[in-house]
Amino acid sequence: MALFRRLQAIRALNQTIGIRESSSYLLGSSRSYSSSSTDISNGIKLNSPRFSSCLYNGRNALPWTHRSTMTLRSTMAMELSIFLNDKRSATTKVNAPPQARQMGSLKVSISSPGFIYEPYAPRDTISFWRRWFTKSGWRRTKNDIILELKNAYAIVKLRKTGYSKHKFYVEAIKLYKEINTLLANGDKTALRKAVTEKMYSELKNEIKQRQSAWNMSKLYWEMIEPAVLIRTLRARLIGVDKSDLNKVFIQLTLEIKTKQKFEAYDSKGARVAGDKNKEILVREIWVFEKSLFHPGAYWRLCGRIKA
């Protein structure tokens, strides 16, 4: 009888998964994305230039507070409620950056949420037996489906703005290479335009630490083109107005592998780190962000995740 009940539970789970085949809105979107390009979890190689950096220590922090907050609502709430046993809001309250706070009757436009929404983390593999014959495995399968639906929904929303995966990769790689070059040169003025406000603060401190504590006055950095690998790990939407679901930011998390050359010098020109004659393989995870409702918005680096 126990085995019979488990088989019934598996059949019910398969019916839940079958919702993806019957939902013309979410599922059609998911199929169109995966059929026209590689799956979001598959790596692909391009012949266009790509880049990576080895000049930082990855850090992430979620500025949770209980006061002076603004509501950031995920637009996946309604679509994903069909997978939950109870109705749960996908609203996240976070500390609003200064440029987004309301001052009296004046509302200042937000230029970035200021955090990485649902930062990517690799998920442990589980056995076939555990996935299909245990309650924890069924919960894991449901969560995996929800994560993939969030990815697909965000990509569909982005595609309505003219998004092309190949063109984005080319643009992201150019931006990635530009940021690394600016970091190596210590050009904080130009760096401000390529990253979000929070990221700029981190990189500025990084340059300052390098020049003072490490006594590095000059850096040589080079990327060997093309990149070894680039792939999308996660796509997320972040709403900033619960009354208007079109006012959203999108964040795409990319894994980038490249071969690089690096060498650092002190104030006297002596080499203190690296070797520009040796190539090293570098793997990094960068998060790029773009507003989908600001005219003329462009991709910027909003965070880095420790690989």
Side-chain angles (χ1 to χ4, degrees), residues 105-267:
S105 60
L106 176 64
K107 293 184 179 180
V108 182
S109 177
I110 180 174
S111 60
S112 172
F115 70 104
I116 300 177
Y117 178 53
E118 293 187 353
Y120 169 81
R123 297 173 68 82
D124 297 332
T125 57
I126 60 176
S127 65
F128 176 84
W129 176 264
R130 180 185 171 190
R131 179 179 289 275
W132 296 107
F133 293 94
T134 65
K135 290 183 178 180
S136 62
W138 299 339
R139 287 193 296 268
R140 168 66 182 272
T141 299
K142 183 184 75 171
N143 291 335
D144 287 346
I145 293 173
I146 292 175
L147 289 176
E148 289 304 316
L149 284 176
K150 285 185 177 181
N151 288 333
Y153 183 82
I155 293 297
V156 169
K157 190 82 172 179
L158 181 59
R159 280 191 165 184
K160 292 181 180 179
T161 66
Y163 165 83
S164 165
K165 190 173 186 178
H166 177 77
K167 290 181 179 179
F168 166 69
Y169 280 176
V170 172
E171 181 180 353
I173 297 226
K174 290 180 179 179
L175 178 60
Y176 191 88
K177 187 175 182 179
E178 175 188 352
I179 292 174
N180 277 301
T181 302
L182 295 174
L183 280 173
N185 297 335
D187 190 345
K188 292 180 284 188
T189 302
L191 189 63
R192 182 186 292 271
K193 300 178 182 179
V195 301
T196 62
E197 292 76 7
K198 183 176 182 296
M199 196 70 231
Y200 174 73
S201 178
E202 293 183 11
L203 296 180
K204 183 174 63 174
N205 292 334
E206 190 174 292
I207 294 174
K208 183 179 179 180
Q209 181 183 15
R210 183 188 74 200
Q211 294 175 342
S212 59
W214 298 347
N215 195 26
M216 293 183 182
S217 61
K218 183 180 179 181
L219 289 177
Y220 172 87
W221 180 85
E222 179 186 356
M223 188 193 76
I224 309 302
E225 302 181 18
V228 177
L229 172 72
I230 180 171
R231 64 169 179 163
T232 304
L233 299 177
R234 177 157 293 182
R236 288 294 182 268
L237 293 174
I238 306 175
V240 295
D241 187 348
K242 62 182 180 180
S243 62
D244 187 352
L245 297 183
N246 290 320
K247 291 185 177 181
V248 296
F249 287 85
I250 187 163
Q251 293 180 348
L252 295 184
T253 303
L254 300 185
E255 176 190 13
I256 302 174
K257 289 183 181 180
T258 60
K259 292 182 179 180
Q260 303 176 9
K261 294 180 180 180
F262 164 76
E263 193 167 281
Y265 310 91
D266 61 16
S267 58

